[in-house]
Amino acid sequence: MSMLLHVEPEIEKLQTHLKKHEISSMISEKRLDFEADNIDAVFLGTTDGIGHVGTLKLENYPIDFIEIIKKQEYAKCDFVMGSHVGMGVHKHSWRKLRFFLSLSPSIQLGPLDFGTITTIKKGLFNSKVEDFVWSGYQKLTTLPPGLVRDNVADALYQEQRLRALMIKCLLKERTIVISRYTPQEKDVKTNSKIVIESQWKFLKDIYLDLDTIEMYRIIATVLKNKINELKYHLAY
């Protein structure tokens, strides 16, 4: 690794966290296509906005890249710690993990964009997920309906282990969105074709437990298997 490469502590901590779950990763020295979606987080300064924190490339895993992005907002407040009067400024910040799947350059996906709608039963002390559905454009191809089995949500529903994990993990993840990724910089390519993401979280909540990691692993595996099954319909 180049000594000039600046690595944020958050991405190093994520790498260590994944290693505990026996997931090997490395920090890429080259600029990836999706990293250009936002400025580097260190340049946000005292402005509102979204910044790129860092990316890990996973080794021998169905998820190819995990990116951390940061959102921050500054808000004026009437109370300042240690003072009874005055005007202060408080910074609110959140993080999000984006999981990227890389595919063959020849693969051309349809306008894939769908996510979970979750039904949560509120309890006095504990809430729980009653059920969820995948909603949105779930077809991998642009072929007319019924010609091929290209509804990827059907394949996700069939995985009983995945369903059990989602019932458990969606209470924290709330919404999982799967969509086709199109890079903003056309001349930088890593063949990242699908992005999976959930809601914004506080920093302490982005380090996923084993069940949540396994949930995302199965989702990525089902997606890649379904795309491989339809590769002759998806290749240009």
Side-chain angles (χ1 to χ4, degrees):
M1 184 183 299
S2 170
M3 294 300 292
L4 297 176
L5 181 64
H6 174 73
V7 180
E8 293 291 331
E10 293 166 47
I11 205 70
E12 290 185 318
K13 185 175 179 181
L14 177 61
Q15 187 175 34
T16 302
H17 179 75
L18 292 174
K19 189 175 182 180
K20 290 179 180 178
H21 296 302
E22 300 182 346
I23 301 172
S24 299
S25 63
M26 61 181 294
I27 299 170
S28 177
E29 294 187 12
K30 67 177 183 178
R31 187 76 167 176
L32 303 173
D33 48 11
F34 51 82
E35 292 181 332
D37 292 349
N38 303 288
I39 64 171
D40 289 344
V42 292
F43 297 126
L44 283 175
T46 57
T47 61
D48 295 349
I50 297 174
H52 162 77
V53 176
T55 301
L56 291 177
K57 182 180 186 336
L58 306 192
E59 301 174 0
N60 302 314
Y61 207 72
I63 296 169
D64 296 287
F65 301 99
I66 300 181
E67 181 194 28
I68 300 178
I69 55 176
K70 172 184 178 181
K71 179 171 69 172
Q72 67 181 33
E73 296 176 358
Y74 282 82
K76 291 182 179 180
C77 54
D78 295 328
F79 176 75
V80 181
M81 291 295 292
S83 174
H84 298 289
V85 294
M87 181 68 73
V89 177
H90 184 76
K91 182 176 79 170
H92 305 273
S93 64
W94 304 265
R95 307 295 189 281
K96 180 187 285 192
L97 297 180
R98 299 206 296 175
F99 305 92
F100 288 90
L101 311 187
S102 293
L103 309 173
S104 166
S106 65
I107 295 296
Q108 294 295 310
L109 300 176
L112 193 70
D113 189 6
F114 67 105
T116 55
I117 298 176
T118 307
T119 303
I120 297 177
K121 182 178 180 180
K122 298 289 185 180
L124 182 59
F125 298 105
N126 295 295
S127 301
K128 67 176 183 177
V129 174
E130 286 191 319
D131 205 356
F132 69 91
V133 294
W134 292 104
S135 179
Y137 191 91
Q138 304 156 15
K139 283 169 54 64
L140 288 170
T141 76
T142 55
L143 295 172
L147 288 185
V148 294
R149 295 183 177 179
D150 60 348
N151 189 321
V152 70
D154 289 345
L156 293 169
Y157 281 127
Q158 290 169 11
E159 292 289 332
Q160 294 304 309
R161 169 65 175 157
L162 175 60
R163 176 177 174 77
L165 288 170
M166 291 183 70
I167 289 292
K168 180 178 182 180
C169 299
L170 276 173
L171 188 62
K172 184 177 67 174
E173 298 298 287
R174 295 302 173 104
T175 301
I176 297 172
V177 176
I178 301 171
S179 60
R180 183 182 69 179
Y181 176 75
T182 302
Q184 294 182 7
E185 290 190 5
K186 302 299 183 183
D187 57 337
V188 181
K189 297 190 177 183
T190 55
N191 300 324
S192 303
K193 297 294 181 74
I194 293 180
V195 57
I196 307 168
E197 54 190 309
S198 64
Q199 66 180 8
W200 291 97
K201 302 183 180 73
F202 294 117
L203 177 59
K204 64 181 179 62
D205 296 323
I206 69 167
Y207 302 107
L208 307 176
D209 58 38
L210 187 57
D211 283 339
T212 308
I213 291 173
E214 176 67 2
M215 177 188 70
Y216 283 115
R217 186 197 68 80
I218 296 175
I219 290 174
T221 300
V222 170
L223 288 169
K224 284 194 168 179
N225 287 344
K226 192 65 177 176
I227 289 168
N228 186 59
E229 177 187 321
L230 295 167
K231 61 184 178 183
Y232 297 113
H233 299 284
L234 296 169
Y236 63 80

